[in-house]
Amino acid sequence: MKVKAIEYPTQLSKIVDIDDDNIDVFIELEDGTHITVVVSTPLNLLSYMNKENINFIPASQPDIIVKSLTKENIELAVENFAAGDAFWLKLLFVAGVDREFIDMNRIEECFMKIKKENQEILDAFE
């Protein structure tokens, strides 16, 4: 899906360290969908873990990760997440808005189907 517009509520020029920060990004898709995502750098994730004295990023809505916070990097990443039907971009947004939008029963059904198919493959080799 084509990205119609990308807006930055914080000007990129105001970012002190483009290699160690994150920024909100407002996206408009060609179908009229408006999405807000957080774009972060790997160093920013590491800085967060060091600041909080933890060895992992806690479960939360995933960010889009770029090497540095440049307009080019952000646009390339957003366009990649919007490719096809914008599944990944929309999933990121919906998962962060409300877990109720995600049908956990359907996900569990998918896992059961995968488990059954994997077992059938293993049984065929016995």
Side-chain angles (χ1 to χ4, degrees), residues 52-66:
E52 297 297 321
N53 197 29
I54 56 177
N55 294 317
F56 61 93
I57 299 294
S60 63
Q61 177 185 9
D63 297 352
I64 292 177
I65 311 298
V66 296

Side-chain angles (χ1 to χ4, degrees), residues 5-110:
I6 298 175
E7 295 181 27
Y8 305 93
T10 302
Q11 295 176 9
L12 292 174
S13 62
K14 302 257 186 211
I15 297 172
V16 175
D17 185 350
I18 64 169
D19 296 320
D20 184 359
D21 211 335
N22 65 71
I23 186 172
D24 290 336
V25 176
F26 300 154
I27 303 163
E28 181 181 1
L29 299 174
E30 67 182 338
D31 68 357
T33 302
H34 291 265
I35 293 173
T36 302
V37 297
V38 176
V39 178
S40 297
T41 64
L43 285 177
N44 185 247
L45 299 175
L46 183 59
S47 293
Y48 172 78
M49 288 185 282
N50 289 336
K51 177 182 156 202
E52 297 297 321
N53 197 29
I54 56 177
N55 294 317
F56 61 93
I57 299 294
S60 63
Q61 177 185 9
D63 297 352
I64 292 177
I65 311 298
V66 296
K67 189 173 185 177
S68 59
L69 294 173
T70 64
K71 184 177 183 205
E72 179 183 13
N73 288 350
I74 293 168
E75 288 178 0
L76 286 171
V78 168
E79 288 169 5
N80 179 269
F81 274 71
D85 60 0
F87 174 81
W88 292 110
L89 192 58
K90 290 179 178 183
L91 181 63
L92 281 177
F93 181 68
V94 167
V97 171
D98 188 342
R99 280 189 57 156
E100 296 300 315
F101 290 127
I102 306 297
D103 185 348
M104 286 302 292
N105 290 328
R106 178 74 176 121
I107 291 172
E108 290 299 327
E109 289 172 13
C110 290

